[in-house]
Amino acid sequence: MLLPDKTAMFKDEECRGGKQSKVRLTVLLAANEDGSENLPPLVIGRSEKPRCCGKVKPFLFKYKANGKAWMTSETFGDWLKFIEKSMRVKNRKIILFIDNCCA
């Protein structure tokens, strides 16, 4: 699928008459082992105020902005503090397994 300005949408697609798309998103998902409890997703994009979410006030996910849409150690630390606070309120203890995270 090509965007209207003829840029490539995906990494493996050929780019015809334009530059490679710079659209980036990072999504962090978390759930318990059997999937019965899901935490709100964390979405990291490039825009402080994305146009697609302009009229949506109560997000079903947490959104953070970063110039390259990457997970930073600060963003990851904030997310961990949020998880710790929510689990402490529920008087729960958890083990967190993380895969492929350089933050």
Side-chain angles (χ1 to χ4, degrees):
M1 175 178 169
L2 295 175
L3 295 175
D5 62 354
K6 297 182 181 177
T7 58
M9 179 73 170
F10 300 104
K11 183 179 177 181
D12 297 334
E13 285 187 6
E14 182 180 330
C15 182
R16 298 181 202 132
K19 294 182 179 180
Q20 193 87 23
S21 175
K22 299 288 183 183
V23 177
R24 304 280 187 270
L25 279 178
T26 299
V27 180
L28 185 145
L29 302 171
N32 64 349
E33 185 179 13
D34 64 2
S36 63
E37 183 179 353
N38 299 321
L39 296 172
L42 172 65
V43 178
I44 304 169
R46 294 178 64 186
S47 303
E48 287 288 331
K49 297 179 182 177
R51 283 183 259 164
C52 64
C53 303
K55 296 181 181 180
V56 179
K57 296 296 178 194
F59 288 132
L60 298 175
F61 55 88
K62 294 189 170 294
Y63 181 83
K64 297 282 185 173
N66 179 309
K68 294 188 178 190
W70 287 353
M71 175 68 75
T72 63
S73 57
E74 181 181 346
T75 303
F76 190 68
D78 292 344
W79 182 79
L80 281 175
K81 289 174 188 172
F82 165 76
I83 297 301
E84 180 186 14
K85 187 189 304 184
S86 66
M87 293 299 143
R88 187 173 288 165
V89 167
K90 296 176 184 178
N91 198 22
R92 294 179 60 188
K93 295 181 181 181
I94 63 171
I95 297 175
L96 186 61
F97 294 99
I98 301 168
D99 182 30
N100 196 17
C101 179
C102 60

